[in-house]
Amino acid sequence: MKKIEEYAEQISRCSHCSYCQASCPVFMEDIVESVLPRNRIEVILRSVIDKSMPLSPRALEIIDRCLLCTNCTQGCSSQVPIDDIVIAARSAISMQTGGLSGVKNLVMGKMLRQRGLTALMGKAGAMVQKVGIATKDMPPLAAKTFDKFYSGTVKAEGETRGRVAYFVGCGTNFMYPDTGVATVNVLSRNGIEVIIPEGQVCCGIPSIAEGDFKSAREMIEVNVSIFSDLEVDAIVTDCTSCGMMFKEKFTKVLETADPLQEKISNLTSRVWEVTDFLNHLGLREIPGPMDSSFTYHVPCHRAWSPTVRHAPRQILTQIPGAEFRELENPERCCGAAGAFYMAHRELSEGIRAHRVQDIKDNGADLVVTQCPVCRFYIGSALKEQGTEIVHPMIMLARAYGFNGC
Amino acid sequence: MKSLHQDLIRLLSDKQVLTQPEDLMAYASDATYYYASRVPDAVVLPVTSEEVARVMKYAYEKEIPVTPRGAGSGLAGGCTPINGGIVLDMKRMNRLLEIDHDNMTAEVEAGLVHRQFTRAVERQGLFYPPDPQSAAVCTLGGNIATRAGGPRGVKYGTTGNYVLGTEVVLADGSIIKTGGKMVKQSSGYDITHLIAGSEGTLGIITRANLRLLTLPPVNNTMVISCSSLDQAAELVSAIIASGTVPAMLEFLIKLAIMVMNNYITPPLPLDYEAYLLVDVDGTARQVQEDTKKIKDICQDLGIPDLRIIEDPHEAASYWEARSKLYPLMLSIMKRVITEDITVPRNRIPDFVRGVQAIAADIAIQIGLAGHSGDGNMHPTILQPEINDEINAKAKQAIDRIIRIGLDLGGTISGEHGIGLHKQEYLEWEFGRTQVELMKRIKTAFDPKGLLNPGKIWLEGGDAE
Ligand SMILES: Cc1cc2nc3c(=O)[nH]c(=O)nc-3n(C[C@H](O)[C@H](O)[C@H](O)COP(=O)(O)OP(=O)(O)OC[C@H]3O[C@@H](n4cnc5c(N)ncnc54)[C@H](O)[C@@H]3O)c2cc1C
Ligand code: SF4
Ligand code: SF4
């Protein structure tokens, strides 16, 4: 893992062009340049790296007020890896100050490292309530987690066209098993055998967001040992953030000399977001007609695949009768960012309000997005108007006639 | 400074005043960050003209310098608070007040971001042509204050040509309205166009009336490859002399295309020394005719290659890459100093030859990537390193480039303004008498010298 000090050179590459004013959702909401990515990394340089300024409460706040959405990094022509710099700074800070607070530690550290501990989730919920976070802010927990629906191997229907291993993210496992059920069924219907390995754990992205590299490494180790030796054409995930973690962040979290590095490079080349994967392969059979309009909210964590942002549009417009309506600013952040919205309520709700307005103006019957946190966060604001938001695989599954998702 | 903080909070609210070091450091400069010498004492975030007026009145009484700031994307050091004091961040005044179809005008607040505005305008089939390449972030107030332009200058002119009126808060806090929705006016002095280009030294622009056109129905982008810089320069002059007026006519050296290829899809092969990126717009028939004319001129001059970019996504990728050229250059250089000389268009070939000779003579890299259609050539001093020797060379090159540009009948700035960056050359262009006149105008507007002090000319006189 690159130490924060090693980023000093890249920070100095910032040209001060200020173009990140057009990409950072936090800046656009606050409209104050203190939280502009350019200043955020400058604060990191001075208060964490060269220590020419103290690490004041305001400095911490500026470092904390970042969604890690990667929009700045995607738009920066000087290629400053701003989100990596913020992550490394948080890691350095958490090492200095002795780690995470109680609730976060419980949720991040324990629950996500071990699957099947749904009870813990309830306990975390209770604690979260105690510290004043309303339950409506908590993601809905599925009565039956995805690992109770499927594990092991699901055979392809008809002639087998390929074989994939399915990495089931926490969002799908705990909150939205319907995405997983849809994914398995749609893949199988399209001639793909799906292996759902047991023992897989969280991808680790919530931990690196807090700068907790130690927990992240433990999770990476488990997942790498499970996935790297499988004889499959691809490792698919339904979640764009898990995909980014596998594809881009694994190698950055580990030390350069870490023995896991080699296994990772062999593994990451085979990682796909499932809609993207299926779109590349091509649908075997055109699904049934669907008389509804839909729009697509593109998740922020999209840059790890050049095609992931086109896949839902391309694949779902093959459903006869489904009318696609492009959203205004399709790539605008929704403000949730993992658990960020719980700690920065006002800010996140402000960011979300724009996204929700775009969706209202658009007027489509259905919104699709590949990120479970976007689905939850946007979805909870869309409830009253009755617009549904689901994973693209769910829409596709419905078109194929699967009930129950 | 504690009392300054408290006073300002009393005038506005605690959420609109920043005085912590982590906040102030964000406001020390614009894109020319090497001009930062200190941070302001306070940053104020007004949302209404009345709030701006309150702050100005207070600053006038207390004799505190005030520097207005839009996005801080300026390339001249204009919003750099070299004397400290208050920075007025105008970005929260970002409302689009009106699009008036009947009059083909719009009214905006000064902090509205250029692209937010043009998107709204274009959704209604209307057109606001000025196109600074920083459109994604720069504010209309900043554009007016610098008379910003862009590739479309060749056909449509720059911001100054579209400002019909302004609302301005003067140094003492009084609010005036200049011009309005009328497309002509012959009463009194033209304060509107004195404010346009005043770089925050005469008043704070809070609102503006802007002129709109109808969106041209058709356009066509083409890229022309030239075997030498001289040939490209000759071609620009020939196109202009032919009477064809492209909507955009950009001059790009090979190095520029090389970095732009990060965004151009598919990338353009780097087989030639210089390129022109051209766009023609209008009715289908006009576009066809203009395209043919340009083709014919290229043939006459023996230009090796002209490619029409049919795919709109591909064409868009060229213009996006063009808009990122400056930061892209910076990703391979340590410092890039963009000069803004603009010469009469029949002198472009002389200017290009002159710049090449200077580069060879001083042994320094000078890029050329300009809005050549309007003569704005943007010679850029490319510094792979920052050290005394190379800095001295850069300075020498700039002096000589400016001298040539002025000798050819040009101006030292076509669109960025003077700020701190070119103030020592102001007298070279205007002579002492005219600069003294400007100073008297400044005193009439700002008797205490509080508005963005230390900009445009050197305090105390000439540099020659
Ligand atoms: C990558 C890049 C590309 C660029 N390309 C172009 C280009 O193609 N064409 C071009 O013309 N410029 C270009 N620029 C320069 C810059 O974007 C323009 O000068 C723009 O007009 C500045 O707007 P701003 O809102 O950032 O103003 P700022 O930089 O904040 O301020 C510019 C000047 O205007 C004054 N000012 C700002 N707002 C007000 C107000 N409300 N009232 C009074 N004074 C005010 C400031 O005091 C300062 O003197 C580019 C800059 C960058 C970084
Ligand atoms: S976009 Fe990149 S180079 Fe430009 S100011 Fe932001 S961080 Fe710096
Ligand atoms: S990662 Fe997102 S929130 Fe953080 S600085 Fe970049 S754009 Fe802003």
Side-chain angles (χ1 to χ4, degrees):
Chain A
M1 160 217 156
K2 216 163 145 175
K3 301 271 179 306
I4 187 64
E5 292 76 20
E6 297 169 61
Y7 284 106
E9 204 277 327
Q10 274 167 304
I11 293 175
S12 77
R13 292 252 139 214
C14 164
S15 68
H16 286 235
C17 68
S18 78
Y19 277 24
C20 40
Q21 287 181 20
S23 51
C24 177
V26 176
F27 167 79
M28 288 189 272
E29 196 56 32
D30 288 350
I31 321 187
V32 46
E33 290 185 49
S34 325
V35 295
L36 191 64
R38 167 174 64 67
N39 195 57
R40 194 172 281 112
I41 56 177
E42 190 74 30
V43 166
I44 290 172
L45 181 69
R46 297 196 203 170
S47 61
V48 184
I49 301 178
D50 72 23
K51 304 206 165 70
S52 57
M53 278 170 81
L55 186 60
S56 66
R58 181 61 179 149
L60 282 170
E61 192 179 7
I62 290 171
I63 298 166
D64 192 39
R65 216 169 166 78
C66 165
L67 301 149
L68 299 176
C69 68
T70 74
N71 285 299
C72 51
T73 305
Q74 292 178 46
C76 175
S77 12
S78 298
Q79 282 134 27
V80 183
I82 293 140
D83 57 306
D84 286 338
I85 294 170
V86 174
I87 291 170
R90 288 183 184 171
S91 162
I93 293 167
S94 88
M95 246 130 55
Q96 275 170 35
T97 57
L100 304 167
S101 65
V103 181
K104 276 184 178 164
N105 198 19
L106 180 62
V107 178
M108 307 289 165
K110 290 226 181 62
M111 181 186 82
L112 304 178
R113 236 176 298 166
Q114 303 159 351
R115 284 279 162 88
L117 292 179
T118 321
L120 247 177
M121 195 85 168
K123 207 164 146 197
M127 275 188 70
V128 163
Q129 266 175 326
K130 231 189 260 167
V131 294
I133 298 169
T135 31
K136 78 172 173 57
D137 288 343
M138 282 294 286
L141 292 183
K144 184 173 163 191
T145 54
F146 176 76
D147 49 12
K148 303 284 179 310
F149 285 90
Y150 288 104
S151 71
T153 301
V154 180
K155 288 270 175 242
E157 283 180 33
E159 197 185 324
T160 304
R161 295 161 84 203
R163 192 161 187 249
V164 301
Y166 183 15
F167 175 76
V168 184
C170 299
T172 292
N173 196 53
F174 293 115
M175 290 153 60
Y176 296 119
D178 56 351
T179 300
V181 172
T183 295
V184 168
N185 282 292
V186 167
L187 288 176
S188 158
R189 177 68 157 267
N190 277 282
I192 298 151
E193 182 175 307
V194 186
I195 299 167
I196 305 143
E198 275 179 49
Q200 47 178 302
V201 297
C202 171
C203 71
I205 204 167
S207 298
I208 65 165
E210 303 294 331
D212 178 7
F213 283 58
K214 197 165 154 280
S215 308
R217 192 192 177 284
E218 288 172 24
M219 299 180 212
I220 293 171
E221 188 169 22
V222 174
N223 286 326
V224 168
S225 74
I226 291 175
F227 283 90
S228 63
D229 296 329
L230 293 175
E231 298 267 321
V232 289
D233 307 316
I235 295 156
V236 298
T237 167
D238 57 61
C239 168
T240 36
S241 297
C242 298
M244 177 180 79
M245 182 68 188
F246 269 71
K247 197 104 182 166
E248 288 183 345
K249 305 289 186 204
F250 272 13
T251 177
K252 291 182 181 171
V253 168
L254 305 179
E255 302 290 344
T256 329
D258 195 310
L260 281 177
Q261 288 281 15
E262 203 188 312
K263 285 195 158 178
I264 286 172
S265 64
N266 159 47
L267 180 143
T268 50
S269 58
R270 288 183 294 157
V271 173
W272 287 83
E273 189 280 317
V274 63
T275 323
D276 199 10
F277 173 78
L278 192 55
N279 190 42
H280 268 78
L281 193 69
L283 294 179
R284 184 165 68 183
E285 134 197 15
I286 297 299
M290 204 170 184
D291 179 23
S292 75
S293 58
F294 72 101
T295 190
Y296 173 37
H297 162 76
V298 189
C300 293
H301 293 160
R302 58 184 168 259
W304 56 276
S305 153
T307 45
V308 72
R309 71 184 81 177
H310 306 300
R313 295 179 176 96
Q314 289 168 354
I315 212 167
L316 297 174
T317 46
Q318 293 176 47
I319 301 174
E323 176 211 343
F324 177 61
R325 291 191 198 163
E326 190 69 81
L327 202 54
E328 179 77 14
N329 301 314
E331 299 180 355
R332 192 205 285 262
C333 177
C334 75
F340 183 91
Y341 71 91
M342 294 190 200
H344 303 85
R345 206 169 156 158
E346 210 177 310
L347 172 62
S348 291
E349 285 177 9
I351 297 172
R352 177 174 66 178
H354 301 291
R355 179 74 305 186
V356 169
Q357 191 58 47
D358 292 333
I359 293 171
K360 285 185 179 159
D361 293 345
N362 179 279
D365 305 325
L366 186 68
V367 185
V368 298
T369 187
Q370 294 121 308
C371 169
V373 183
C374 299
R375 177 181 176 189
F376 156 68
Y377 197 58
I378 298 174
S380 60
L382 285 177
K383 266 194 193 116
E384 53 198 86
Q385 75 181 85
T387 308
E388 201 189 1
I389 176 166
V390 296
H391 194 280
M393 281 297 129
I394 293 184
M395 178 166 167
L396 200 54
R398 287 177 188 168
Y400 277 120
F402 294 113
N403 295 319
C405 54
Chain B
M1 283 308 126
K2 207 161 179 193
S3 70
L4 174 66
H5 180 84
Q6 279 160 354
D7 289 351
L8 289 169
I9 286 180
R10 217 169 299 128
L11 290 174
L12 302 173
S13 71
D14 63 348
K15 288 224 163 83
Q16 290 173 281
V17 181
L18 309 171
T19 52
Q20 299 197 61
E22 293 81 4
D23 295 295
L24 298 178
M25 63 190 261
Y27 290 88
S29 81
D30 61 8
T32 58
Y33 58 91
Y34 32 88
Y35 287 124
S37 53
R38 55 164 298 173
V39 296
D41 298 307
V43 175
V44 170
L45 310 157
V47 271
T48 64
S49 308
E50 287 65 37
E51 286 179 349
V52 174
R54 251 180 269 155
V55 174
M56 290 311 297
K57 187 161 179 287
Y58 166 81
Y60 192 73
E61 278 161 15
K62 301 269 180 186
E63 307 203 345
I64 301 167
V66 176
T67 305
R69 178 187 183 92
S73 72
L75 289 175
C79 62
T80 305
I82 50 172
N83 292 317
I86 297 170
V87 163
L88 265 182
D89 180 343
M90 300 298 290
K91 286 189 288 295
R92 287 188 182 176
M93 288 189 64
N94 59 4
R95 284 181 304 161
L96 170 50
L97 300 165
E98 177 188 67
I99 295 179
D100 180 346
H101 272 267
D102 297 342
N103 284 305
M104 298 289 279
T105 59
E107 186 171 7
V108 298
E109 286 186 336
L112 180 60
V113 173
H114 181 288
R115 178 153 301 157
Q116 307 276 346
F117 174 59
T118 49
R119 273 216 198 158
V121 162
E122 284 167 22
R123 265 201 296 272
Q124 306 202 10
L126 299 172
F127 186 35
Y128 177 72
D131 57 343
Q133 299 294 282
S134 49
V137 296
C138 65
T139 65
L140 292 164
N143 293 167
I144 296 169
T146 56
R147 281 174 287 181
R152 288 204 193 101
V154 51
K155 179 167 181 179
Y156 295 101
T158 61
T159 306
N161 303 107
Y162 293 84
V163 187
L164 297 172
T166 59
E167 178 189 82
V168 178
V169 178
L170 297 178
D172 64 1
S174 42
I175 303 179
I176 59 165
K177 290 276 299 170
T178 74
K181 285 187 185 181
M182 309 75 70
V183 288
K184 63 195 251 184
Q185 183 178 25
S186 182
S187 55
Y189 292 153
D190 187 354
I191 305 288
T192 305
H193 290 97
L194 204 50
I195 292 295
S198 63
E199 300 185 53
T201 63
L202 299 183
I204 313 295
I205 304 159
T206 44
R207 291 184 175 197
N209 304 96
L210 301 171
R211 179 214 283 270
L212 302 175
L213 305 179
T214 308
L215 205 56
V218 182
N219 77 317
N220 187 10
T221 295
M222 55 198 119
V223 58
I224 306 174
S225 312
C226 302
S227 35
S228 68
L229 274 65
D230 286 352
Q231 190 183 48
E234 298 289 350
L235 178 57
V236 172
S237 292
I239 292 173
I240 299 297
S242 76
T244 313
V245 187
M248 310 192 245
L249 178 49
E250 296 287 298
F251 188 104
L252 297 158
I253 55 168
K254 190 186 204 168
L255 183 69
I257 297 287
M258 192 189 96
V259 292
M260 282 165 63
N261 268 343
N262 277 307
Y263 288 88
I264 298 172
T265 35
L268 185 65
L270 297 167
D271 302 335
Y272 297 95
E273 290 308 311
Y275 298 82
L276 295 185
L277 184 58
V278 188
D279 192 82
V280 290
D281 69 1
T283 59
R285 187 163 153 198
Q286 194 186 348
V287 166
Q288 213 174 9
E289 278 173 13
D290 286 350
T291 307
K292 176 162 184 320
K293 256 199 194 166
I294 292 172
K295 270 187 180 164
D296 291 347
I297 297 170
C298 288
Q299 211 151 35
D300 291 348
L301 291 180
I303 301 291
D305 190 41
L306 180 151
R307 214 161 63 79
I308 294 180
I309 302 168
E310 312 268 359
D311 176 9
H313 294 290
E314 188 182 348
S317 81
Y318 274 87
W319 295 110
E320 193 201 342
R322 174 62 189 86
S323 78
K324 295 199 158 152
L325 177 57
Y326 166 74
L328 279 170
M329 274 297 188
L330 267 162
S331 66
I332 57 166
M333 292 289 157
K334 280 266 161 53
R335 181 177 291 177
V336 174
I337 303 174
T338 307
E339 286 303 329
D340 193 26
I341 323 278
T342 302
V343 296
R345 292 165 298 177
N346 62 344
R347 307 311 298 271
I348 290 172
D350 300 321
F351 185 69
V352 168
R353 271 191 292 274
V355 170
Q356 286 174 277
I358 293 168
D361 194 30
I362 302 181
I364 192 165
Q365 238 182 320
I366 306 179
L368 276 164
H371 316 311
S372 56
D374 60 20
N376 191 344
M377 294 304 294
H378 288 325
T380 29
I381 317 294
L382 305 172
Q383 292 189 219
E385 290 305 329
I386 301 178
N387 58 46
D388 290 347
E389 191 199 335
I390 211 164
N391 294 352
K393 279 186 175 183
K395 171 79 176 73
Q396 205 188 339
I398 293 169
D399 283 0
R400 287 176 59 179
I401 292 172
I402 287 191
R403 186 40 80 202
I404 298 190
L406 290 174
D407 287 348
L408 292 171
T411 171
I412 59 175
S413 178
E415 56 181 30
H416 295 165
I418 305 299
L420 296 170
H421 181 50
K422 293 177 278 283
Q423 52 188 174
E424 63 181 293
Y425 304 110
L426 194 77
E427 280 201 17
W428 293 20
E429 177 170 349
F430 292 104
R432 175 160 304 171
T433 311
Q434 204 175 157
V435 172
E436 287 304 324
L437 177 62
M438 290 186 194
K439 289 183 183 174
R440 289 202 298 279
I441 293 171
K442 161 81 174 168
T443 310
F445 273 87
D446 180 20
K448 294 188 179 178
L450 301 173
L451 272 164
N452 203 5
K455 305 291 164 61
I456 305 191
W457 47 75
L458 286 174
E459 295 300 343
D462 76 313
E464 207 167 19

